[in-house]
Amino acid sequence: MESADLGAVGPYELLLQLAKGGMAEVFIARRAGAGPGEAGREPLVALKRIRADLRAESGYSSMLLDEAGLASRVASPNFVQVLDRGIDEGGAPYIVMELVVGVTLKQLTRSPEALGIGDALDLIAQAADGLHAAHEARDSSGELLQVIHRDISPSNILVGVDGRARICDLGLAWALRRTTRTKTGMVKGKLSYFSPEQAHARPLDRRSDVFSLGVVAWEVLAGRRLFVGSNMLSILHAVLEREVPPLWTERDGVGNAVTDAVARALERDRDARWATAAEFAGALRGAAERERHAASRERVGGRVAEVLPEGLRPLVAGYGPGGLLATRESVAALRAMHAAGVVGERDSSGMMAVRGSSRG
């Protein structure tokens, strides 16, 4: 598909369709009209907009605007950044995000070889940093927005070829001033990562997300799922009642410090949990230091590159601190990948890799 067929959205030239989900479609784009000498200096971005067949329904536009508004208030290297947002010529909203070349934590941990304990702890601590930044997001007057992600899982933690973990997808998030709300009785999020208060449909605060991230931490370190069941009720029962085995019994090399740090995140009484994601991050890093678990982002980035679909791997060499630049070579490579059907069709997070499912 040639870029001429895709046109432009606002000041952005659409290069390739990256993904199409149930609500939105995502394109790889670049800012149009680069001046002399600027070609190749601008990073490629991910542009997300409502699917054409849904643009007449105002609810979808409101959801996208809400997501953009919340994400734009989160400032952290461990949260997928919203770079711009606007309304196109047809009146439809769009958001522009950083383009992350990487995989989800879920994909990264599918490998038969488990992540090293130090690398796993570092990735979860990074994710906790990004989550804390979301929880601390404030409006223009400085008022806390009281963001709750509500959908923390390995599928919503991206790991780039730079070895950095990023929280993504605020599509299900709750916030004080969000205009779109969940209908009473509607289940939001992935059941196996629900907090007990989510399972009881009780009011939530940031500690609910801490529990969910605790589940992710336990699973990444143990190498298996924690709360499983054959149906919705059995999964919720597991969340509420099933005993959580100490991590030291699940993984050689994990000691009491790491076990205790994760166990506190998984306290069913939220008053006994870490009060913030920042506290959880600090506990994980402290435990890693006490137990001498070394981390290497270079090593993690190398593993990510190995897990990437083969057709995407040539892009790794062009990915730097400023992201993937819009050079002739990178654009040509992306077009070739699109023509070959390599780029994921159902991802809407701003990540160039296949994900199992997507709302957006």
Side-chain angles (χ1 to χ4, degrees):
M1 185 181 297
E2 296 298 326
S3 61
D5 296 330
L6 294 174
V9 173
Y12 296 93
E13 177 190 0
L14 302 182
L15 297 171
L16 301 166
Q17 186 176 67
L18 172 61
K20 190 170 185 178
M23 183 186 85
E25 55 189 354
V26 178
F27 297 87
I28 299 173
R30 60 181 172 184
R31 184 175 287 274
E38 293 179 358
R41 295 183 183 179
E42 286 274 347
L44 291 166
V45 296
L47 186 145
K48 182 175 181 179
R49 68 179 182 185
I50 301 297
R51 282 171 33 185
D53 57 322
L54 299 176
R55 288 173 202 164
E57 301 184 38
S58 61
Y60 291 108
S61 294
S62 296
M63 289 174 65
L64 187 66
L65 287 171
D66 270 351
E67 181 182 348
L70 291 179
S72 66
R73 293 287 177 184
V74 182
S76 170
N78 300 113
F79 197 98
V80 173
Q81 295 297 294
V82 169
L83 307 172
D84 195 8
R85 52 182 168 162
I87 305 294
D88 68 15
E89 293 77 3
Y94 64 87
I95 59 177
V96 178
M97 302 171 288
E98 66 172 314
L99 186 65
V100 180
V101 178
V103 297
T104 65
L105 185 60
K106 180 178 179 178
Q107 290 171 307
L108 189 63
T109 54
R110 279 179 180 164
S111 170
E113 183 183 350
L115 277 173
I117 295 171
D119 291 337
L121 291 171
D122 183 52
L123 287 174
I124 298 299
Q126 289 184 60
D129 289 339
L131 186 57
H132 183 69
H135 292 159
E136 288 293 309
R138 298 174 184 271
D139 65 15
S140 56
S141 66
E143 182 179 356
L144 198 67
L145 288 171
Q146 299 181 32
V147 172
I148 308 165
H149 191 287
R150 300 197 300 178
D151 195 21
I152 293 296
S153 74
S155 296
N156 283 333
I157 299 172
L158 308 186
V159 185
V161 292
D162 55 2
R164 191 198 312 169
R166 297 165 175 86
I167 296 286
C168 70
D169 201 345
L170 282 176
L172 296 187
W174 187 95
L176 185 64
R177 296 190 181 180
R178 183 157 196 163
T179 59
T180 52
R181 295 293 185 201
T182 304
K183 295 178 181 178
T184 301
M186 184 181 292
V187 175
K188 290 284 191 178
K190 300 173 182 71
L191 296 178
S192 295
Y193 300 94
F194 267 28
S195 67
E197 53 269 32
Q198 262 182 303
H200 280 301
R202 292 173 179 163
L204 307 179
D205 61 25
R206 65 173 69 192
R207 293 172 294 180
S208 176
D209 288 341
V210 171
F211 185 95
S212 300
L213 190 58
V215 177
V216 175
W218 192 97
E219 292 183 346
V220 170
L221 288 162
R224 68 179 180 92
R225 298 291 298 278
L226 179 54
F227 300 127
V228 294
S230 58
N231 54 51
M232 184 175 79
L233 289 178
S234 63
I235 294 171
L236 292 177
H237 178 77
V239 169
L240 294 170
E241 302 291 341
R242 188 169 297 166
E243 182 180 356
V244 177
L247 270 173
W248 66 265
T249 67
E250 297 287 324
R251 175 92 179 255
D252 290 340
V254 170
N256 289 332
V258 171
T259 297
D260 292 348
V262 176
R264 184 167 173 182
L266 290 171
E267 289 283 357
R268 290 188 167 99
D269 176 3
R270 60 183 170 187
D271 289 334
R273 266 178 236 153
W274 300 111
T276 68
E279 287 187 3
F280 186 27
L284 291 172
R285 291 185 172 110
E289 185 175 356
R290 285 193 292 277
E291 296 184 11
R292 298 183 179 180
H293 298 302
S296 166
R297 296 190 185 181
E298 182 178 358
R299 180 170 59 229
V300 170
R303 178 163 171 158
V304 171
E306 292 174 359
V307 176
L308 278 174
E310 186 175 353
L312 290 174
R313 292 174 190 170
L315 296 175
V316 174
Y319 192 78
L324 184 63
L325 298 181
T327 63
R328 290 188 181 90
E329 293 79 10
S330 63
V331 171
L334 287 167
R335 285 177 175 154
M337 282 181 258
H338 181 81
V342 172
V343 178
E345 295 179 350
R346 298 196 65 198
D347 183 280
S348 62
S349 62
M351 177 189 63
M352 292 184 5
V354 178
R355 269 171 61 180
S357 64
S358 173
R359 286 175 301 280

